[in-house]
Amino acid sequence: MASLVCSETGVVCISGTTFAIISIRDGALERQDIDIEEKRLSSLKENAHEDNGAISRRCTVLTFTKDEQDVLVADKWGDVFRFSVTDPQKEGLLLLGHLSMLLDILTTKGDKYVVTTDRDNKIRISEYPNSYNIHTYCLHHTEYVSSVVYNEDPEILLSGSGDGTIVIWDLSGKVLSQTTCSEGEETLPIKKLEWEKDLKLLSVIFFNSPVIQLYMLAADSMSLCRQRDIELTSPVWDACFDRNGQLWVLQKQEGDTLQVYTCQKTDSGVIKVGRIDPELPCSENKVLEMFNKDWTFFSVSESAPDLSLEYKKKETPDNYSIYLQKKQDRINQTQPAEPQAKKVKTT
């Protein structure tokens, strides 16, 4: 599976074991690479040396702090490490740990809290950077919590789950509302949420689906209103908003792998969505051209496993009940048969 991240200064595409990072500075494109297989973080620049920093375990998700000075890396074993962006040689610092695979991570306003979600249906809100102090848990979902996003004003969390629901929480862990994502009568397991803070717009993508659903937050009722759907030609790998409110979409389609959509709110309060004009001489089209010509980079993601199956908890047998039943069977087999009563002959 391929992934996509938009930062303040560029775009990151992830495919297989390679990160392709395109930074846009003063109209020029700069590329950085991360080799996951070697567990090394590399920085490649023109006329510069290569810097490396060790990543100790396989990561499942990462995020930058609000000041973009540190990157928080969550791994398959449930731990979160902090790495310095300005000093890649600095050893990662362990912040917190879960008992199951971590699926998403973010920090709140001013990096006050770090929010993590896991495969065991939980959302944990911890203080940052002293993350051994747990602020609260958010417990409501019945399946893995695949994604979480944060809104500053009002200060809320929105989480998406394999149970097909989007739940809005306050930071005390209280449920404010719940929305079920469906297509017809079928409930869709949520793969990822993306939040556009200015429009209060939420994009939702699903496992093995070419559809993106867009919702707008009704602040007065703290509920979501479905605006429209974007239908692509192939299953959506990933999507994210950039700092200009544009939606970048990564799909499983050669030659048209990466797309960019503009999202605008009309006077009537309806969201208008359209693809960016390919004739515009802008940096977005330069990035699109660079990635859409490089299907070799993305082709390794075609055979990636279905993460929705990996996220599901494996059902284990009730070993204790089985043990008690076998024990009772052995007792029944070893107990001597009851002696038969002697018959008394009477005259």
Side-chain angles (χ1 to χ4, degrees):
M1 184 194 70
S3 300
L4 178 68
V5 180
C6 295
S7 72
E8 290 291 323
T9 56
V11 178
V12 182
C13 283
I14 308 166
S15 180
T17 61
T18 306
F19 284 28
I21 305 174
I22 304 298
S23 299
I24 306 170
R25 292 187 175 91
D26 300 325
L29 301 184
E30 176 185 300
R31 178 162 180 162
Q32 295 177 307
D33 295 300
I34 297 177
D35 189 335
I36 308 174
E37 213 167 47
E38 296 295 330
K39 298 180 181 176
R40 306 293 297 179
L41 185 149
S42 303
S43 174
L44 302 176
K45 302 178 182 179
E46 283 188 331
N47 304 321
H49 66 282
E50 179 177 347
D51 294 326
N52 294 281
I55 301 175
S56 60
R57 298 182 183 182
R58 172 191 164 190
C59 68
T60 55
V61 66
L62 57 84
T63 188
F64 287 92
T65 53
K66 298 302 181 185
D67 58 8
E68 295 196 350
Q69 296 301 303
D70 295 297
V71 59
L72 307 183
V73 179
D75 65 28
K76 186 176 181 179
W77 306 106
D79 293 329
V80 175
F81 292 86
R82 182 177 68 186
F83 291 88
S84 172
V85 173
T86 57
D87 185 8
Q89 298 290 343
K90 189 176 181 180
E91 184 178 355
L93 176 66
L94 177 64
L95 290 181
L96 61 92
H98 283 234
L99 296 178
S100 64
M101 181 192 301
L102 291 176
L103 305 183
D104 207 359
I105 183 173
L106 59 79
T107 58
T108 62
K109 183 179 180 180
D111 294 321
K112 182 178 181 180
Y113 299 115
V114 55
V115 182
T116 47
T117 74
D118 65 23
R119 194 174 67 169
D120 288 341
N121 318 341
K122 298 192 303 298
I123 302 172
R124 171 176 160 180
I125 304 177
S126 309
E127 294 183 7
Y128 181 83
N130 299 323
S131 303
Y132 47 80
N133 292 323
I134 300 175
H135 176 65
T136 190
Y137 284 98
C138 301
L139 305 175
H140 184 75
H141 287 294
T142 58
E143 289 283 350
Y144 56 86
V145 186
S146 53
S147 187
V148 64
V149 294
Y150 167 73
N151 181 66
E152 289 189 5
D153 186 21
E155 201 167 20
I156 55 173
L157 296 173
L158 299 93
S159 61
S161 168
D163 60 17
T165 63
I166 304 170
V167 178
I168 301 179
W169 317 76
D170 63 18
L171 293 191
S172 69
K174 179 183 177 182
V175 175
L176 303 179
S177 69
Q178 176 179 310
T179 302
T180 300
C181 298
S182 60
E183 196 67 37
E185 296 182 356
E186 180 185 4
T187 300
L188 302 175
I190 295 172
K191 181 178 182 180
K192 186 182 179 184
L193 306 179
E194 273 294 318
W195 181 247
E196 209 297 305
K197 60 181 181 179
D198 295 325
L199 295 175
K200 297 292 189 287
L201 185 65
L202 182 73
S203 74
V204 188
I205 65 174
F206 308 95
F207 287 102
N208 306 313
S209 174
V211 176
I212 301 175
Q213 293 183 358
L214 298 178
Y215 294 83
M216 182 173 288
L217 176 68
D220 53 346
S221 61
M222 283 299 163
S223 61
L224 294 174
C225 177
R226 187 168 173 178
Q227 292 290 303
R228 59 161 298 174
D229 295 352
I230 301 175
E231 295 189 11
L232 288 87
T233 56
S234 300
V236 180
W237 272 331
D238 205 353
C240 68
F241 287 104
D242 64 16
R243 59 181 177 177
N244 298 318
Q246 298 176 131
L247 182 64
W248 293 68
V249 179
L250 196 63
Q251 66 168 338
K252 188 179 178 180
Q253 179 66 48
E254 183 176 359
D256 197 22
T257 313
L258 189 60
Q259 299 180 3
V260 181
Y261 291 85
T262 58
C263 302
Q264 297 177 339
K265 189 176 183 180
T266 63
D267 295 337
S268 60
V270 178
I271 295 297
K272 182 180 178 181
V273 179
R275 290 190 66 172
I276 193 170
D277 186 353
E279 301 299 325
L280 287 177
C282 57
S283 57
E284 288 87 351
N285 279 327
K286 292 180 182 179
V287 175
L288 291 179
E289 182 180 7
M290 180 178 296
F291 279 122
N292 287 332
K293 287 183 177 180
D294 190 9
W295 178 246
T296 303
F297 173 77
F298 294 105
S299 61
V300 297
S301 295
E302 286 188 289
S303 58
D306 186 352
L307 289 181
S308 63
L309 300 178
E310 184 179 2
Y311 290 172
K312 282 184 174 292
K313 291 186 292 185
K314 296 180 180 179
E315 294 185 3
T316 56
D318 187 351
N319 293 325
Y320 185 64
S321 297
I322 294 174
Y323 162 75
L324 290 179
Q325 183 61 48
K326 288 184 176 180
K327 181 179 178 180
Q328 186 61 48
D329 292 342
R330 288 196 302 270
I331 292 174
N332 294 338
Q333 292 173 2
T334 56
Q335 280 183 346
E338 295 184 2
Q340 294 183 353
K342 293 183 179 181
K343 294 181 180 181
V344 180
K345 188 176 180 180
T346 59
T347 58

PDB file of all heavy atoms in Angstrom, residues 141-172:
ATOM      1  N   HIS A 141     -15.565   2.749  20.400  1.00  0.00           N
ATOM      2  CA  HIS A 141     -15.534   1.956  19.173  1.00  0.00           C
ATOM      3  C   HIS A 141     -15.537   0.467  19.496  1.00  0.00           C
ATOM      4  O   HIS A 141     -15.031   0.025  20.541  1.00  0.00           O
ATOM      5  CB  HIS A 141     -14.285   2.298  18.347  1.00  0.00           C
ATOM      6  CG  HIS A 141     -14.350   3.640  17.687  1.00  0.00           C
ATOM      7  ND1 HIS A 141     -15.255   3.929  16.683  1.00  0.00           N
ATOM      8  CD2 HIS A 141     -13.620   4.766  17.874  1.00  0.00           C
ATOM      9  CE1 HIS A 141     -15.077   5.182  16.279  1.00  0.00           C
ATOM     10  NE2 HIS A 141     -14.098   5.713  16.990  1.00  0.00           N
ATOM     11  N   THR A 142     -16.080  -0.320  18.558  1.00  0.00           N
ATOM     12  CA  THR A 142     -16.143  -1.776  18.731  1.00  0.00           C
ATOM     13  C   THR A 142     -15.141  -2.512  17.848  1.00  0.00           C
ATOM     14  O   THR A 142     -15.061  -3.736  17.910  1.00  0.00           O
ATOM     15  CB  THR A 142     -17.558  -2.291  18.412  1.00  0.00           C
ATOM     16  OG1 THR A 142     -17.910  -1.928  17.069  1.00  0.00           O
ATOM     17  CG2 THR A 142     -18.570  -1.680  19.377  1.00  0.00           C
ATOM     18  N   GLU A 143     -14.400  -1.765  17.011  1.00  0.00           N
ATOM     19  CA  GLU A 143     -13.334  -2.335  16.187  1.00  0.00           C
ATOM     20  C   GLU A 143     -12.115  -1.432  16.309  1.00  0.00           C
ATOM     21  O   GLU A 143     -12.139  -0.404  16.987  1.00  0.00           O
ATOM     22  CB  GLU A 143     -13.770  -2.456  14.719  1.00  0.00           C
ATOM     23  CG  GLU A 143     -14.811  -3.535  14.464  1.00  0.00           C
ATOM     24  CD  GLU A 143     -14.225  -4.944  14.439  1.00  0.00           C
ATOM     25  OE1 GLU A 143     -12.980  -5.062  14.437  1.00  0.00           O
ATOM     26  OE2 GLU A 143     -15.006  -5.905  14.434  1.00  0.00           O
ATOM     27  N   TYR A 144     -11.034  -1.835  15.633  1.00  0.00           N
ATOM     28  CA  TYR A 144      -9.788  -1.064  15.644  1.00  0.00           C
ATOM     29  C   TYR A 144     -10.048   0.401  15.272  1.00  0.00           C
ATOM     30  O   TYR A 144     -10.893   0.721  14.450  1.00  0.00           O
ATOM     31  CB  TYR A 144      -8.789  -1.678  14.671  1.00  0.00           C
ATOM     32  CG  TYR A 144      -9.298  -1.805  13.251  1.00  0.00           C
ATOM     33  CD1 TYR A 144      -9.184  -0.748  12.337  1.00  0.00           C
ATOM     34  CD2 TYR A 144      -9.896  -2.982  12.806  1.00  0.00           C
ATOM     35  CE1 TYR A 144      -9.652  -0.856  11.043  1.00  0.00           C
ATOM     36  CE2 TYR A 144     -10.372  -3.095  11.506  1.00  0.00           C
ATOM     37  CZ  TYR A 144     -10.246  -2.038  10.637  1.00  0.00           C
ATOM     38  OH  TYR A 144     -10.721  -2.145   9.352  1.00  0.00           O
ATOM     39  N   VAL A 145      -9.297   1.318  15.911  1.00  0.00           N
ATOM     40  CA  VAL A 145      -9.404   2.749  15.613  1.00  0.00           C
ATOM     41  C   VAL A 145      -8.291   3.094  14.628  1.00  0.00           C
ATOM     42  O   VAL A 145      -7.131   3.252  15.009  1.00  0.00           O
ATOM     43  CB  VAL A 145      -9.300   3.599  16.889  1.00  0.00           C
ATOM     44  CG1 VAL A 145      -9.554   5.067  16.558  1.00  0.00           C
ATOM     45  CG2 VAL A 145     -10.293   3.114  17.941  1.00  0.00           C
ATOM     46  N   SER A 146      -8.647   3.180  13.364  1.00  0.00           N
ATOM     47  CA  SER A 146      -7.649   3.317  12.304  1.00  0.00           C
ATOM     48  C   SER A 146      -7.132   4.729  12.137  1.00  0.00           C
ATOM     49  O   SER A 146      -6.025   4.927  11.637  1.00  0.00           O
ATOM     50  CB  SER A 146      -8.238   2.833  10.974  1.00  0.00           C
ATOM     51  OG  SER A 146      -9.465   3.490  10.714  1.00  0.00           O
ATOM     52  N   SER A 147      -7.916   5.747  12.555  1.00  0.00           N
ATOM     53  CA  SER A 147      -7.513   7.123  12.279  1.00  0.00           C
ATOM     54  C   SER A 147      -8.133   8.079  13.277  1.00  0.00           C
ATOM     55  O   SER A 147      -9.240   7.851  13.788  1.00  0.00           O
ATOM     56  CB  SER A 147      -7.930   7.503  10.852  1.00  0.00           C
ATOM     57  OG  SER A 147      -7.435   8.767  10.481  1.00  0.00           O
ATOM     58  N   VAL A 148      -7.420   9.170  13.553  1.00  0.00           N
ATOM     59  CA  VAL A 148      -7.929  10.219  14.433  1.00  0.00           C
ATOM     60  C   VAL A 148      -7.410  11.557  13.935  1.00  0.00           C
ATOM     61  O   VAL A 148      -6.276  11.657  13.451  1.00  0.00           O
ATOM     62  CB  VAL A 148      -7.516   9.979  15.906  1.00  0.00           C
ATOM     63  CG1 VAL A 148      -6.006  10.041  16.081  1.00  0.00           C
ATOM     64  CG2 VAL A 148      -8.202  10.969  16.843  1.00  0.00           C
ATOM     65  N   VAL A 149      -8.264  12.599  13.996  1.00  0.00           N
ATOM     66  CA  VAL A 149      -7.867  13.959  13.630  1.00  0.00           C
ATOM     67  C   VAL A 149      -8.291  14.898  14.748  1.00  0.00           C
ATOM     68  O   VAL A 149      -9.114  14.559  15.601  1.00  0.00           O
ATOM     69  CB  VAL A 149      -8.491  14.399  12.282  1.00  0.00           C
ATOM     70  CG1 VAL A 149      -7.941  13.553  11.141  1.00  0.00           C
ATOM     71  CG2 VAL A 149     -10.009  14.318  12.319  1.00  0.00           C
ATOM     72  N   TYR A 150      -7.738  16.117  14.699  1.00  0.00           N
ATOM     73  CA  TYR A 150      -7.903  17.067  15.808  1.00  0.00           C
ATOM     74  C   TYR A 150      -8.326  18.421  15.267  1.00  0.00           C
ATOM     75  O   TYR A 150      -7.813  18.888  14.243  1.00  0.00           O
ATOM     76  CB  TYR A 150      -6.577  17.184  16.561  1.00  0.00           C
ATOM     77  CG  TYR A 150      -6.480  18.324  17.537  1.00  0.00           C
ATOM     78  CD1 TYR A 150      -7.166  18.300  18.737  1.00  0.00           C
ATOM     79  CD2 TYR A 150      -5.668  19.431  17.264  1.00  0.00           C
ATOM     80  CE1 TYR A 150      -7.069  19.351  19.645  1.00  0.00           C
ATOM     81  CE2 TYR A 150      -5.553  20.474  18.161  1.00  0.00           C
ATOM     82  CZ  TYR A 150      -6.258  20.437  19.351  1.00  0.00           C
ATOM     83  OH  TYR A 150      -6.161  21.470  20.254  1.00  0.00           O
ATOM     84  N   ASN A 151      -9.283  19.039  15.947  1.00  0.00           N
ATOM     85  CA  ASN A 151      -9.714  20.403  15.629  1.00  0.00           C
ATOM     86  C   ASN A 151      -9.453  21.296  16.832  1.00  0.00           C
ATOM     87  O   ASN A 151      -9.794  20.938  17.964  1.00  0.00           O
ATOM     88  CB  ASN A 151     -11.207  20.422  15.278  1.00  0.00           C
ATOM     89  CG  ASN A 151     -11.684  21.811  14.918  1.00  0.00           C
ATOM     90  OD1 ASN A 151     -11.275  22.375  13.906  1.00  0.00           O
ATOM     91  ND2 ASN A 151     -12.551  22.380  15.748  1.00  0.00           N
ATOM     92  N   GLU A 152      -8.852  22.467  16.585  1.00  0.00           N
ATOM     93  CA  GLU A 152      -8.449  23.337  17.688  1.00  0.00           C
ATOM     94  C   GLU A 152      -9.600  24.131  18.290  1.00  0.00           C
ATOM     95  O   GLU A 152      -9.650  24.340  19.502  1.00  0.00           O
ATOM     96  CB  GLU A 152      -7.349  24.299  17.204  1.00  0.00           C
ATOM     97  CG  GLU A 152      -6.010  23.630  16.952  1.00  0.00           C
ATOM     98  CD  GLU A 152      -4.914  24.642  16.687  1.00  0.00           C
ATOM     99  OE1 GLU A 152      -5.181  25.868  16.801  1.00  0.00           O
ATOM    100  OE2 GLU A 152      -3.793  24.229  16.352  1.00  0.00           O
ATOM    101  N   ASP A 153     -10.508  24.634  17.454  1.00  0.00           N
ATOM    102  CA  ASP A 153     -11.567  25.507  17.952  1.00  0.00           C
ATOM    103  C   ASP A 153     -12.890  25.157  17.283  1.00  0.00           C
ATOM    104  O   ASP A 153     -13.095  25.482  16.108  1.00  0.00           O
ATOM    105  CB  ASP A 153     -11.215  26.972  17.680  1.00  0.00           C
ATOM    106  CG  ASP A 153     -12.213  27.929  18.301  1.00  0.00           C
ATOM    107  OD1 ASP A 153     -12.920  27.509  19.251  1.00  0.00           O
ATOM    108  OD2 ASP A 153     -12.305  29.076  17.830  1.00  0.00           O
ATOM    109  N   PRO A 154     -13.788  24.476  17.987  1.00  0.00           N
ATOM    110  CA  PRO A 154     -13.661  23.973  19.354  1.00  0.00           C
ATOM    111  C   PRO A 154     -12.695  22.791  19.419  1.00  0.00           C
ATOM    112  O   PRO A 154     -12.480  22.103  18.425  1.00  0.00           O
ATOM    113  CB  PRO A 154     -15.081  23.545  19.708  1.00  0.00           C
ATOM    114  CG  PRO A 154     -15.668  23.165  18.381  1.00  0.00           C
ATOM    115  CD  PRO A 154     -15.091  24.107  17.387  1.00  0.00           C
ATOM    116  N   GLU A 155     -12.130  22.569  20.597  1.00  0.00           N
ATOM    117  CA  GLU A 155     -11.112  21.545  20.768  1.00  0.00           C
ATOM    118  C   GLU A 155     -11.767  20.166  20.885  1.00  0.00           C
ATOM    119  O   GLU A 155     -12.291  19.801  21.941  1.00  0.00           O
ATOM    120  CB  GLU A 155     -10.256  21.844  21.994  1.00  0.00           C
ATOM    121  CG  GLU A 155      -8.914  21.154  21.955  1.00  0.00           C
ATOM    122  CD  GLU A 155      -7.949  21.693  22.994  1.00  0.00           C
ATOM    123  OE1 GLU A 155      -8.421  22.322  23.974  1.00  0.00           O
ATOM    124  OE2 GLU A 155      -6.742  21.485  22.844  1.00  0.00           O
ATOM    125  N   ILE A 156     -11.702  19.416  19.776  1.00  0.00           N
ATOM    126  CA  ILE A 156     -12.341  18.100  19.722  1.00  0.00           C
ATOM    127  C   ILE A 156     -11.459  17.128  18.943  1.00  0.00           C
ATOM    128  O   ILE A 156     -10.543  17.533  18.219  1.00  0.00           O
ATOM    129  CB  ILE A 156     -13.734  18.156  19.039  1.00  0.00           C
ATOM    130  CG1 ILE A 156     -13.602  18.777  17.650  1.00  0.00           C
ATOM    131  CG2 ILE A 156     -14.730  18.893  19.900  1.00  0.00           C
ATOM    132  CD1 ILE A 156     -14.874  18.734  16.832  1.00  0.00           C
ATOM    133  N   LEU A 157     -11.748  15.842  19.094  1.00  0.00           N
ATOM    134  CA  LEU A 157     -11.137  14.786  18.301  1.00  0.00           C
ATOM    135  C   LEU A 157     -12.224  14.123  17.466  1.00  0.00           C
ATOM    136  O   LEU A 157     -13.369  14.000  17.904  1.00  0.00           O
ATOM    137  CB  LEU A 157     -10.481  13.732  19.198  1.00  0.00           C
ATOM    138  CG  LEU A 157      -9.310  14.167  20.073  1.00  0.00           C
ATOM    139  CD1 LEU A 157      -8.909  13.032  21.005  1.00  0.00           C
ATOM    140  CD2 LEU A 157      -8.121  14.605  19.230  1.00  0.00           C
ATOM    141  N   LEU A 158     -11.849  13.692  16.257  1.00  0.00           N
ATOM    142  CA  LEU A 158     -12.734  12.907  15.409  1.00  0.00           C
ATOM    143  C   LEU A 158     -12.004  11.621  15.069  1.00  0.00           C
ATOM    144  O   LEU A 158     -10.878  11.660  14.565  1.00  0.00           O
ATOM    145  CB  LEU A 158     -13.108  13.659  14.126  1.00  0.00           C
ATOM    146  CG  LEU A 158     -13.856  14.989  14.303  1.00  0.00           C
ATOM    147  CD1 LEU A 158     -12.865  16.144  14.336  1.00  0.00           C
ATOM    148  CD2 LEU A 158     -14.848  15.197  13.155  1.00  0.00           C
ATOM    149  N   SER A 159     -12.625  10.482  15.352  1.00  0.00           N
ATOM    150  CA  SER A 159     -11.958   9.199  15.146  1.00  0.00           C
ATOM    151  C   SER A 159     -12.755   8.330  14.188  1.00  0.00           C
ATOM    152  O   SER A 159     -13.986   8.356  14.177  1.00  0.00           O
ATOM    153  CB  SER A 159     -11.769   8.467  16.482  1.00  0.00           C
ATOM    154  OG  SER A 159     -13.021   8.209  17.090  1.00  0.00           O
ATOM    155  N   GLY A 160     -12.027   7.543  13.378  1.00  0.00           N
ATOM    156  CA  GLY A 160     -12.647   6.605  12.460  1.00  0.00           C
ATOM    157  C   GLY A 160     -12.207   5.192  12.780  1.00  0.00           C
ATOM    158  O   GLY A 160     -11.070   4.961  13.206  1.00  0.00           O
ATOM    159  N   SER A 161     -13.106   4.229  12.558  1.00  0.00           N
ATOM    160  CA  SER A 161     -12.854   2.871  13.026  1.00  0.00           C
ATOM    161  C   SER A 161     -13.265   1.842  11.984  1.00  0.00           C
ATOM    162  O   SER A 161     -13.990   2.133  11.021  1.00  0.00           O
ATOM    163  CB  SER A 161     -13.625   2.629  14.336  1.00  0.00           C
ATOM    164  OG  SER A 161     -13.639   1.266  14.699  1.00  0.00           O
ATOM    165  N   GLY A 162     -12.790   0.626  12.207  1.00  0.00           N
ATOM    166  CA  GLY A 162     -13.187  -0.494  11.378  1.00  0.00           C
ATOM    167  C   GLY A 162     -14.650  -0.856  11.540  1.00  0.00           C
ATOM    168  O   GLY A 162     -15.189  -1.620  10.736  1.00  0.00           O
ATOM    169  N   ASP A 163     -15.310  -0.310  12.568  1.00  0.00           N
ATOM    170  CA  ASP A 163     -16.750  -0.560  12.731  1.00  0.00           C
ATOM    171  C   ASP A 163     -17.587   0.355  11.846  1.00  0.00           C
ATOM    172  O   ASP A 163     -18.820   0.314  11.871  1.00  0.00           O
ATOM    173  CB  ASP A 163     -17.170  -0.427  14.193  1.00  0.00           C
ATOM    174  CG  ASP A 163     -16.891   0.959  14.780  1.00  0.00           C
ATOM    175  OD1 ASP A 163     -16.681   1.911  14.000  1.00  0.00           O
ATOM    176  OD2 ASP A 163     -16.876   1.088  16.017  1.00  0.00           O
ATOM    177  N   GLY A 164     -16.903   1.218  11.037  1.00  0.00           N
ATOM    178  CA  GLY A 164     -17.606   2.080  10.095  1.00  0.00           C
ATOM    179  C   GLY A 164     -18.177   3.346  10.681  1.00  0.00           C
ATOM    180  O   GLY A 164     -18.975   4.027  10.027  1.00  0.00           O
ATOM    181  N   THR A 165     -17.775   3.716  11.892  1.00  0.00           N
ATOM    182  CA  THR A 165     -18.320   4.908  12.530  1.00  0.00           C
ATOM    183  C   THR A 165     -17.251   5.982  12.703  1.00  0.00           C
ATOM    184  O   THR A 165     -16.063   5.687  12.846  1.00  0.00           O
ATOM    185  CB  THR A 165     -18.912   4.588  13.911  1.00  0.00           C
ATOM    186  OG1 THR A 165     -17.858   4.117  14.786  1.00  0.00           O
ATOM    187  CG2 THR A 165     -19.989   3.534  13.812  1.00  0.00           C
ATOM    188  N   ILE A 166     -17.724   7.236  12.671  1.00  0.00           N
ATOM    189  CA  ILE A 166     -16.899   8.396  13.029  1.00  0.00           C
ATOM    190  C   ILE A 166     -17.462   8.940  14.333  1.00  0.00           C
ATOM    191  O   ILE A 166     -18.656   9.251  14.421  1.00  0.00           O
ATOM    192  CB  ILE A 166     -16.946   9.485  11.947  1.00  0.00           C
ATOM    193  CG1 ILE A 166     -16.530   8.926  10.592  1.00  0.00           C
ATOM    194  CG2 ILE A 166     -16.059  10.661  12.337  1.00  0.00           C
ATOM    195  CD1 ILE A 166     -16.783   9.884   9.435  1.00  0.00           C
ATOM    196  N   VAL A 167     -16.619   9.046  15.340  1.00  0.00           N
ATOM    197  CA  VAL A 167     -17.052   9.530  16.650  1.00  0.00           C
ATOM    198  C   VAL A 167     -16.354  10.854  16.935  1.00  0.00           C
ATOM    199  O   VAL A 167     -15.155  11.002  16.701  1.00  0.00           O
ATOM    200  CB  VAL A 167     -16.733   8.515  17.762  1.00  0.00           C
ATOM    201  CG1 VAL A 167     -17.138   9.069  19.128  1.00  0.00           C
ATOM    202  CG2 VAL A 167     -17.455   7.197  17.502  1.00  0.00           C
ATOM    203  N   ILE A 168     -17.118  11.824  17.424  1.00  0.00           N
ATOM    204  CA  ILE A 168     -16.570  13.118  17.853  1.00  0.00           C
ATOM    205  C   ILE A 168     -16.472  13.106  19.375  1.00  0.00           C
ATOM    206  O   ILE A 168     -17.436  12.782  20.070  1.00  0.00           O
ATOM    207  CB  ILE A 168     -17.447  14.281  17.375  1.00  0.00           C
ATOM    208  CG1 ILE A 168     -17.550  14.271  15.836  1.00  0.00           C
ATOM    209  CG2 ILE A 168     -16.887  15.613  17.866  1.00  0.00           C
ATOM    210  CD1 ILE A 168     -18.420  15.385  15.272  1.00  0.00           C
ATOM    211  N   TRP A 169     -15.287  13.473  19.898  1.00  0.00           N
ATOM    212  CA  TRP A 169     -15.011  13.454  21.333  1.00  0.00           C
ATOM    213  C   TRP A 169     -14.564  14.834  21.799  1.00  0.00           C
ATOM    214  O   TRP A 169     -13.963  15.586  21.030  1.00  0.00           O
ATOM    215  CB  TRP A 169     -13.875  12.484  21.673  1.00  0.00           C
ATOM    216  CG  TRP A 169     -13.878  11.161  20.999  1.00  0.00           C
ATOM    217  CD1 TRP A 169     -13.525  10.874  19.709  1.00  0.00           C
ATOM    218  CD2 TRP A 169     -14.230   9.905  21.594  1.00  0.00           C
ATOM    219  NE1 TRP A 169     -13.628   9.536  19.461  1.00  0.00           N
ATOM    220  CE2 TRP A 169     -14.069   8.909  20.604  1.00  0.00           C
ATOM    221  CE3 TRP A 169     -14.665   9.522  22.864  1.00  0.00           C
ATOM    222  CZ2 TRP A 169     -14.311   7.563  20.836  1.00  0.00           C
ATOM    223  CZ3 TRP A 169     -14.915   8.184  23.104  1.00  0.00           C
ATOM    224  CH2 TRP A 169     -14.740   7.218  22.106  1.00  0.00           C
ATOM    225  N   ASP A 170     -14.803  15.136  23.064  1.00  0.00           N
ATOM    226  CA  ASP A 170     -14.057  16.229  23.684  1.00  0.00           C
ATOM    227  C   ASP A 170     -12.815  15.627  24.331  1.00  0.00           C
ATOM    228  O   ASP A 170     -12.652  14.401  24.378  1.00  0.00           O
ATOM    229  CB  ASP A 170     -14.911  17.015  24.684  1.00  0.00           C
ATOM    230  CG  ASP A 170     -15.374  16.185  25.883  1.00  0.00           C
ATOM    231  OD1 ASP A 170     -14.783  15.112  26.136  1.00  0.00           O
ATOM    232  OD2 ASP A 170     -16.331  16.606  26.562  1.00  0.00           O
ATOM    233  N   LEU A 171     -11.924  16.478  24.819  1.00  0.00           N
ATOM    234  CA  LEU A 171     -10.639  15.978  25.318  1.00  0.00           C
ATOM    235  C   LEU A 171     -10.738  15.352  26.706  1.00  0.00           C
ATOM    236  O   LEU A 171      -9.737  14.906  27.258  1.00  0.00           O
ATOM    237  CB  LEU A 171      -9.592  17.093  25.316  1.00  0.00           C
ATOM    238  CG  LEU A 171      -9.182  17.599  23.928  1.00  0.00           C
ATOM    239  CD1 LEU A 171      -7.961  18.503  24.027  1.00  0.00           C
ATOM    240  CD2 LEU A 171      -8.914  16.454  22.965  1.00  0.00           C
ATOM    241  N   SER A 172     -11.937  15.278  27.245  1.00  0.00           N
ATOM    242  CA  SER A 172     -12.132  14.540  28.502  1.00  0.00           C
ATOM    243  C   SER A 172     -12.533  13.098  28.230  1.00  0.00           C
ATOM    244  O   SER A 172     -12.709  12.319  29.162  1.00  0.00           O
ATOM    245  CB  SER A 172     -13.195  15.226  29.362  1.00  0.00           C
ATOM    246  OG  SER A 172     -14.480  15.103  28.770  1.00  0.00           O
TER     247      SER A 172
END
